[in-house]
Amino acid sequence: MAMQIVMDHNGDTRHHFDPNDADALAKAERRFKELTGQGFTAAVRIASGEVAKISSFNPTAEETLFFPRLIGG
Amino acid sequence: MFLFPRLPATRRLRCEALRELYRSYRSENTCEARGLRLLREWLSPCQREQFNAQGHFDVIGCDSGKKYRIHCGTAMNVHEIDEAGRVRLGLCFAPKGSLVTGDVMLAQKIALETFERRALAVANRCLIVDLRSNAGRAGRANTPRPST
């Protein structure tokens, strides 16, 4: 099972999906586009502790993390 | 006087153990605890070790190669560190909205490691007094905005 983790005021919301299920994959891709369209940053883990920002949906990623746009404090 | 009969010792101990289990389950599943757990999962082994031992961890900026120290917190918790290990500058930037501490720190780590320049462009800065070297004066160091 793959997972999209969206940071929010509750900590995070997790969306699990089966990457072998075409419908679930399409839904995950729609979610990716919606969130990045709203200004969320998407990141994946490429190695132990190493992270990479992604700008297009990666269907092979086990975990994709989304966090809102950065602002100055 | 006593509405409830005294429980036998073994039953009382079992009740206390269950209560303790429930209490620990509740404390591990708060928003803050889940945020810190997510942060720990995404830290590198070195960063995780440093965070567990010292309560902060270092990241290297992807564009400049500078070292930043992310402390536990959601505001003014990122410090730029020089080669000698002294704090040079305080940086304040965070994801929009009210996120829990672990989430804010994780977003700061990812931002500095993957799009440092863009993160610094939105960050507010302030000078940090390093009492060990007695150098520098506290104060805001934002670039003055042009008057309109």
Side-chain angles (χ1 to χ4, degrees):
Chain A
M1 286 293 259
M3 183 165 52
Q4 291 177 320
I5 306 168
V6 187
M7 286 186 187
D8 55 29
H9 63 280
N10 290 318
D12 58 72
T13 302
R14 294 172 185 225
H15 304 275
H16 298 267
F17 63 94
D18 179 359
N20 299 314
D21 178 340
D23 286 344
L25 205 60
K27 195 175 168 189
E29 185 167 8
R30 269 201 307 276
R31 189 180 296 117
F32 182 97
K33 285 179 179 164
E34 267 172 34
L35 288 166
T36 50
Q38 288 168 26
F40 278 71
T41 298
V44 291
R45 274 192 285 187
I46 46 175
S48 180
E50 274 184 55
V51 289
K53 179 180 171 297
I54 54 169
S55 49
S56 57
F57 179 63
N58 179 355
T60 61
E62 272 185 37
E63 275 184 15
T64 308
L65 178 73
F66 297 89
F67 59 87
R69 186 192 306 279
L70 293 178
I71 52 169
Chain B
M1 177 78 180
F2 295 105
L3 294 174
F4 303 102
R6 278 177 69 91
L7 293 171
T10 50
R11 227 175 125 195
R12 202 170 55 240
L13 282 173
R14 202 175 302 141
C15 282
E16 276 170 23
L18 274 174
R19 209 172 294 135
E20 186 53 41
L21 191 67
Y22 178 69
R23 212 175 292 137
S24 80
Y25 171 79
R26 286 283 303 265
S27 67
E28 282 169 17
N29 281 284
T30 60
C31 301
E32 285 290 335
R34 283 193 294 122
L36 287 171
R37 200 156 53 229
L38 181 68
L39 169 68
R40 281 196 170 90
E41 283 168 14
W42 279 65
L43 290 178
S44 70
C46 264
Q47 289 169 336
R48 198 178 305 125
E49 199 177 304
Q50 189 185 11
F51 183 53
N52 288 339
Q54 298 163 19
H56 58 72
F57 58 89
D58 295 343
V59 302
I60 303 294
C62 62
D63 297 317
S64 68
K66 286 179 183 169
K67 188 191 272 189
Y68 301 92
R69 184 157 293 163
I70 301 180
H71 293 266
C72 218
T74 58
M76 292 307 299
N77 62 317
V78 181
H79 295 161
E80 187 186 316
I81 307 290
D82 68 13
E83 296 79 13
R86 286 177 305 224
V87 177
R88 288 198 57 217
L89 208 58
L91 298 163
C92 195
F93 65 97
K96 196 176 173 191
S98 50
L99 297 184
V100 295
T101 308
D103 286 358
V104 171
M105 293 167 74
L106 179 54
Q108 290 166 334
K109 163 194 152 73
I110 295 171
L112 290 169
E113 288 180 342
T114 62
F115 54 96
E116 179 191 8
R117 220 173 297 145
R118 258 184 46 213
L120 296 182
V122 300
N124 284 318
R125 294 163 168 78
C126 101
L127 296 176
I128 302 285
V129 179
D130 191 342
L131 293 174
R132 287 170 302 174
S133 65
N134 198 24
R137 288 172 56 194
R140 291 182 75 80
N142 284 336
T143 313
R145 293 203 175 117
S147 53
T148 49

